[in-house]
Every structure is written in structure tokens, then in C-alpha cells.
Amino acid sequence: MVEYQEETYDSVIDEIKPLLEGHYQEIANNRDVIKLNPDYEIYKRFCELGQIRIVTARADGELVGYCIVVVRPHLHYKDSLTAQNDIFYISPEYRKGMTGVKLFKKTEEIMKTYGVQRIIMNTKLHLDVSPIFQRLGYTETERVFTKIIG
């Protein structure tokens, strides 16, 4: 059985790190130019400030997924507390069924307790999970373009 809950940075970061490498290999563009090198000190600090929240999925205690969101008033709408996803991942063996849907629903539930007004989620085009977001009632609102310039 998979359980979903919010966890602290200190309680989960050592378990996230091994999953993060596989996640990077699977989804990152331009790996030949931009290497994975998270700023763990900033993540920890933002978690301590309540500006990053980590929601996890665990199967029999083992970490199998995470959804990390940045929670702040939006820069354009300072009265709107917004959760912007930073990163989410489900281990491949748990992608069938409802694991992802339940992780996102739990994230929404937890964000509501903090007074979040809206959640902004994004997905990679080459590993598109838009159908999950559409199923959960999200609306596509933007497209993001990236260009390597140096």
C-alpha cells in the first residue's frame, strides 16, 4: 500500500537524492551542457522558511515518489498564495494505477491547509503527464520555451 504525506527536508532528503539522479537521467534536457547539481543548502533554507513543501509517496516505508512545490505569494499577485511545482517524480514501477493522481491530490489537500489559492504544475513535453493534470481539473495556461545560450 502506498501512503502519501508531507515530510520535512531533513527527514527525506537522503532518500530523495538517489531517486533524483534517475529522475534527471530520464527527463532532463541538455544533460551534455547542464549537469545536475542541486543547491541543497537553499532547498533546506526555503523548507525552514515554509517556502518549499515536500509531499511524498511511500510503499511499505520506501520512498517511491515526491512532489516538491514552492509556496509563496505570486510576484504579480501578492495577495495570491501560489504553489508552483519545482519537481515531481514517481518511480517507474509505481506509474501504473493511481499513484501519481493520489500524490497530486494529496499535494492539493496539503496546500489548501496552508491557504494556497492556486497550484501551478508543469510537465515535460517528452514525458507529458498532461492527461493526469486535466483529469484533476487543471487547465493548460502557458507554454514554456528554453534555449541554451552559453
Side-chain angles (χ1 to χ4, degrees):
M1 182 171 119
V2 179
E3 295 181 345
Y4 307 87
Q5 61 279 312
E6 182 176 10
E7 296 192 45
T8 66
Y9 177 91
D10 288 332
S11 70
V12 74
I13 192 62
D14 289 337
E15 294 174 273
I16 286 177
K17 288 178 181 179
L19 292 179
L20 191 57
E21 181 59 37
H23 185 181
Y24 168 76
Q25 292 300 325
E26 182 178 6
I27 63 133
N29 294 319
N30 310 112
R31 288 189 310 269
D32 58 328
V33 178
I34 302 172
K35 303 300 179 198
L36 179 65
N37 186 18
D39 191 336
Y40 291 113
E41 292 175 17
I42 292 294
Y43 270 97
K44 182 177 175 77
R45 179 74 176 124
F46 283 7
C47 285
E48 290 168 349
L49 292 171
Q51 295 178 357
I52 288 183
R53 301 290 179 175
I54 303 169
V55 181
T56 62
R58 290 184 176 275
D60 300 317
E62 177 187 352
L63 185 68
V64 298
Y66 48 81
C67 181
I68 300 174
V69 293
V70 177
V71 179
R72 295 194 31 83
H74 193 279
L75 290 173
H76 300 172
Y77 316 102
K78 69 180 182 179
D79 298 326
S80 177
L81 190 60
T82 301
Q84 168 76 50
N85 91 286
D86 173 53
I87 191 168
F88 59 82
Y89 181 73
I90 300 288
S91 296
E93 59 271 24
Y94 289 90
R95 291 182 188 166
K96 295 194 188 272
M98 299 293 287
T99 306
V101 169
K102 289 179 180 178
L103 178 62
F104 295 133
K105 281 185 173 183
K106 186 65 170 184
T107 301
E108 290 176 10
E109 177 186 315
I110 291 168
M111 291 307 103
K112 283 181 185 179
T113 69
Y114 292 114
V116 167
Q117 184 179 37
R118 68 177 172 161
I119 298 177
I120 300 171
M121 300 296 272
N122 49 310
T123 184
K124 299 286 188 184
L125 292 177
H126 62 278
L127 191 59
D128 189 359
V129 297
S130 295
I132 293 174
F133 295 131
Q134 291 166 339
R135 177 181 183 169
L136 292 171
Y138 289 76
T139 302
E140 184 176 6
T141 56
E142 291 186 10
R143 290 187 181 243
V144 176
F145 295 85
T146 305
K147 179 180 181 181
I148 300 295
I149 60 169

